[in-house]
Amino acid sequence: MTDRSTSFGRAAADYARGRPGYPDDAVAWMLEGVQGRVLDLGAGTGKLTAAVLHARHDVVAVDPDPVMLATLEAHVPRATVMRGRAEEIPLPDASVGAVVLGQAWHWVDVEAASAEVARVLAPGGVLGLIWNIRDERDPWVAALSRVIGHSTAELLLAGGGPRVAAPFGPLEFYESAWSRPFTASSLHALVRSRSNYITGPDALKKDIDTALDALIARTAGLADGGEATMPYVTHAFRARVAG
């Protein structure tokens, strides 16, 4: 994983508060037929970890950032946690039934990570990749994107999607549309959890904050301290070792 992917610990509390979880149907599709323990790789604060546990799988959560893992342990105490990265997974060969990554595959070295994931998968195991993407068909969401820009993940999904390398076969795809409520405060937390904000200069952060406050001020529900609804489209992918 890239150095930028390990910057999120600076905003772990905002990530936990502002980022959405994952819809049950998309997680169930990724893990269809999976037996045994699931590895949540690049687990962050445990958004996907919690969803996998909810789907009645045992989970080990691996992330390179100790602050993110500490936040995960506080929010998802049932998970086993370990430090590690996609290119060096701290698990034995053929030890898990699935490896899943939420909002994380775009940070990895695809060739090295594909080989390492295949190493820890049991025969017939699944690699699952999932991203929550704001639905910009909603005019308000499009206006928000003009304020905060597009992330690496959003550009990847808009540009044709992820790829996996040997020994994996083709990626299957599943899409789920859903929405979640948010407040002005949780919207600010979401924006502060994004990598371009975390790693950006102070002047950029100030500009984003100012424009975001202006958008909130003219948004029904948010302007008076209430809630609005954010539409998402979740993009899920799965692959198995070829042959």
Side-chain angles (χ1 to χ4, degrees):
M1 291 184 176
T2 67
D3 290 341
R4 200 174 188 192
S5 72
T6 60
S7 66
F8 290 102
R10 301 180 221 168
D14 287 322
Y15 199 108
R17 181 156 186 260
R19 293 293 182 107
Y22 294 92
D24 291 342
D25 61 315
V27 175
W29 177 82
M30 279 199 308
L31 298 177
E32 185 177 14
V34 167
Q35 302 293 321
R37 188 167 59 162
V38 175
L39 165 60
D40 182 6
L41 189 55
T45 62
K47 298 290 184 176
L48 183 53
T49 309
V52 173
L53 282 168
H54 187 255
R56 301 181 182 277
H57 291 273
D58 291 331
V59 185
V60 56
V62 171
D63 196 271
D65 193 314
V67 179
M68 295 294 267
L69 284 178
T71 307
L72 186 154
E73 287 185 289
H75 287 86
V76 195
R78 289 171 52 204
T80 300
V81 303
M82 298 180 182
R83 283 191 71 181
R85 57 185 64 236
E87 299 81 6
E88 292 182 276
I89 300 171
L91 293 176
D93 295 357
S95 58
V96 295
V99 176
V100 295
L101 294 92
Q103 316 289 131
W105 188 253
H106 54 285
W107 296 119
V108 310
D109 178 313
V110 170
E111 281 72 23
S114 295
E116 183 69 346
V117 167
R119 179 187 68 79
V120 302
L121 279 175
V126 172
L127 167 61
L129 314 175
I130 191 167
W131 287 268
N132 289 321
I133 302 296
R134 298 183 317 281
D135 190 348
E136 293 185 346
R137 291 172 296 185
D138 183 301
W140 187 89
V141 177
L144 174 64
S145 294
R146 289 193 290 273
V147 169
I148 66 177
H150 290 97
S151 69
T152 303
E154 290 157 358
L155 294 172
L156 172 71
L157 271 295
R163 69 178 184 88
V164 294
F168 286 99
L171 284 166
E172 301 174 71
F173 175 64
Y174 179 90
E175 184 175 286
S176 179
W178 59 290
S179 61
R180 71 186 289 241
F182 68 99
T183 63
S185 178
S186 63
L187 179 60
H188 272 288
L190 170 65
V191 173
R192 289 193 299 263
S193 77
R194 290 164 62 85
S195 63
N196 63 334
Y197 188 98
I198 295 168
T199 61
D202 289 343
L204 174 64
K205 295 177 184 178
K206 183 177 179 180
D207 287 345
I208 291 174
D209 290 340
T210 299
L212 186 60
D213 285 337
L215 179 61
I216 289 168
R218 62 179 186 267
T219 300
L222 297 183
D224 58 4
E227 290 185 344
T229 300
M230 179 81 75
Y232 281 92
V233 178
T234 294
H235 302 256
F237 303 82
R238 67 186 182 193
R240 290 179 169 84
V241 173

